[in-house]
Amino acid sequence: MIRQLSPRLLQSSSIARHILLVLVAAVLLCSAVVIGSTVSVLDTQLLERREQQLSAEVERLAQQFRSYIDEMVHDTAFLAGVPPIQGLMRSRRAGVGVGDSSTPPWRRNLQGIFKQMLAAKPMALQYRFIDVDGRELVRVDRYGPRDSVRAVAEEALQSKLHRDYVQVGLSLPKGAVWLSEIGLNREERQIMQPPHAVLRAVTGVYDDSGLLYGLLVVNHRVAGMFARIGSAAQDEFPHYITALNGEYLLHPDAAKAFRFEYGERSNIVDDLPQAADFLADSQRRLLLAVSQRHGDRQIYALQKVDYQTAEPAQQLVIAVSSAYRDALAVRNDLLKRLGLYVLALLLVLLAVVAALSQRIVAPLQAMRNTVLEKGQQTRAEDLPIHADAEVGELARAFSGLLAVLDVQRRALEREVGQRRRAQLELEKNLGKLAQANKELEQFAYIASHDLQEPLRTINSFIGMLEQRCGSVLDEQSQQFLEYMKQSASRMEMLIRGLLEYSRLDGVLELESVDCQALVADVCDDLASQISEKNAVVTYSGLPLLRGHALSLHMLFQNLIGNALKYSRDGVDPQIAISASQRDGEWLFSVTDNGIGICEQHRERVFYIFQRLHGRDEYSGSGIGLALCKKIVEQHGGRIWIKEGAGGGSCFCFTLLGEGNDQT
Ligand code: ADP
């Protein structure tokens, strides 16, 4: 099913794809919100928990260290009071020299106790009894690779008067045990090989009268103590011990410990910069901090530990660390699982969308295929009109629409049929009309042409009659003769006009016409009338266009001639001719300030023989404007009249202006 769905999901308009996208977005958004908030809470809790663990761990190690120190102090104090020491003191007080034969039993006893202590205390390295002059009286220590215990021979005993710990020990209050700083053991100021770190415990030894007699000095191997702390530490947390200045005394990498003894630096501040302030601040005991070390974030817990019972105080720092990512391991694990859950959810969604698509998209597609296949022939029964829910509703609505469309289509077809028939009828009538027009024009032409001949005859006979009988005719007959002459010449004028009008038929041969020059020619032809009427004719910017020069000459001559003819009495005619281009044609206007034409006659005057005035008012044949209309229409234009300046007339006409220019 998913395989069927995938092409649909890829189509941008697919409903399934939209549903899938919305659901995926919703799931991803919800997952992001839930996972984000869970992870943030979890992170905080995990880090808090890890910090608590580290604090508890560092506290535990500090306890361990303190208990070890307590044991050391206790042992030292105990040894200072053992009977052989008192015996040795008494025998030396009694004036018996060191080499005296009475001394050895007490010395041997003390050596025996020291040896037993070394056997019992694996961390102890050396027990010494030193007198107030700094001379070693008894010294038992471990030596060699197998840590054999030996009592050092009397001749090998040394004077330690100038050593720090002797000086401090001699000034100690009674009963106090002083602990040294931790450092590598030295002999004759040289670090002993192999090097091992020591911590000295020193306490005073007093005689019966309470006077300081000597010192008991115990050297402890710090390595052993650190090993004990290390074995107590949880393996997952690396642990460290540093001096109060931050120099490492114990580090998981042994090479980093005690570098200060060699004049080098290996300091916790370099790994955890926050430690600098902590070490410098005597009030702070615990530090929890995160540091970025070599691209690896670490959480540290540092605790200061006092280990000096006497003055001056002695402190060191115990630290444990944990990798940040280890602390958040649970979170990462959870994220992986949640990721899998989200993936599984998306797959379920895909399946749900596939099922939905099957239910919703498939019927829609089937419907589309039917409509594409059957087109307008689609019937209601071809569509899933009985389906449930929206699909069924859509099919029913669509089928209703189809029915309406069908009705409209039939009506449209009927109307188209009617119109086609009407069109044919019209074309037939137009053909008849054109034929009749042609015949009429031919008739007008023939008639006007043929009428000229009898008219000429009438004219010549009237002339002859006037010549021969003019003198004998009475006044009334002469008047009749005059009427006949006038009628004949008017008829001649009409026939000439009619001939001119009918000659305008046929297709005109177009040429390039410079209207500016053409109007100038017309004005030249009308020059006598213009000056007679004291008229002013203005024209400029008239275009160069394609037209029939003779016809256009006739057009302008009629319009300008009329403007001169129909001027107002006592008003000098003002005639303006202009042209402007609009929508691919030229609009001309010939405006005058004459008598004007009232609105109801503005169409009529373009019909042949239509005149608005009697012959006695204005001479004319009533053909001029009919000619103008014909010429304009032959050029593909229109002509109409508007009111001109000061009540005069404005004759407007258009001429096709394709490829024409203004001159
Ligand atoms: P006509 O020979 O009478 O001038 P036209 O066809 O030229 O014939 O004009 C028809 C009628 O239109 C005219 O009789 C006149 O009444 C009117 N007419 C034409 N031009 C003008 C004009 N410029 N001003 C006023 N009336 C005009």
Side-chain angles (χ1 to χ4, degrees), residues 84-136:
I85 283 194
Q86 297 299 324
L88 189 63
M89 278 193 305
R90 272 197 300 275
S91 66
R92 283 174 60 83
R93 279 270 158 78
V96 184
V98 172
D100 203 297
S101 57
S102 58
T103 313
W106 290 113
R107 185 192 303 277
R108 267 199 307 277
N109 280 351
L110 192 57
Q111 285 173 343
I113 288 173
F114 283 175
K115 281 180 182 173
Q116 280 170 13
M117 286 298 285
L118 278 178
K121 305 282 178 181
M123 284 174 284
L125 185 68
Q126 190 181 63
Y127 288 94
R128 279 181 289 175
F129 179 40
I130 296 173
D131 70 9
V132 280
D133 299 325
R135 202 150 18 101
E136 291 176 331

Side-chain angles (χ1 to χ4, degrees), residues 237-283:
F237 303 137
H239 56 277
Y240 319 80
I241 296 178
T242 76
L244 198 60
N245 62 5
E247 285 296 323
Y248 282 116
L249 305 178
L250 175 68
H251 192 283
D253 176 3
K256 289 193 171 178
F258 290 107
R259 296 317 304 166
F260 63 91
E261 291 282 20
Y262 300 94
E264 295 167 17
R265 178 180 166 93
S266 174
N267 200 298
I268 196 167
V269 174
D270 299 334
D271 296 325
L272 180 70
Q274 300 93 312
D277 288 344
F278 170 70
L279 294 174
D281 186 348
S282 60
Q283 301 301 313

Side-chain angles (χ1 to χ4, degrees), residues 562 565-566 592 596-597 605 610-613 620-622 624-625 649:
N562 279 351
K565 188 177 10 171
Y566 298 107
D592 62 46
I597 302 173
V605 289
Q610 294 296 321
R611 305 201 68 235
L612 302 181
H613 305 93
S621 60
L625 288 183
S649 313

Side-chain angles (χ1 to χ4, degrees), residues 493 558-567 592 594-597 601 604-613 618-628 641 648-651:
M493 189 178 77
N558 271 307
L559 294 177
I560 299 170
N562 279 351
L564 289 168
K565 188 177 10 171
Y566 298 107
S567 59
D592 62 46
I595 60 169
I597 302 173
H601 300 310
R604 185 159 80 82
V605 289
F606 289 106
Y607 295 116
I608 195 163
F609 301 136
Q610 294 296 321
R611 305 201 68 235
L612 302 181
H613 305 93
Y618 297 99
S619 66
S621 60
I623 290 177
L625 288 183
L627 269 175
C628 290
I641 301 169
S649 313
C650 174
F651 284 82

Side-chain angles (χ1 to χ4, degrees), residues 21-43:
L21 284 180
V22 169
L23 288 178
V24 166
V27 166
L28 289 180
L29 195 71
C30 292
S31 307
V33 170
V34 170
I35 292 175
S37 54
T38 308
V39 162
S40 122
V41 171
L42 197 64
D43 274 8

Side-chain angles (χ1 to χ4, degrees), residues 20-83:
L20 185 69
L21 284 180
V22 169
L23 288 178
V24 166
V27 166
L28 289 180
L29 195 71
C30 292
S31 307
V33 170
V34 170
I35 292 175
S37 54
T38 308
V39 162
S40 122
V41 171
L42 197 64
D43 274 8
T44 316
Q45 288 184 351
L46 284 173
L47 288 175
E48 270 176 17
R49 200 172 136 231
R50 182 49 59 103
E51 283 180 355
Q52 282 168 3
Q53 281 178 329
L54 291 177
S55 311
E57 178 66 5
V58 83
E59 175 57 34
R60 214 167 57 76
L61 295 182
Q63 293 274 10
Q64 189 82 29
F65 181 77
R66 274 194 289 267
S67 75
Y68 176 73
I69 292 290
D70 287 349
E71 185 185 324
M72 223 168 86
V73 169
H74 179 265
D75 289 351
T76 309
F78 162 73
L79 282 176
V82 292

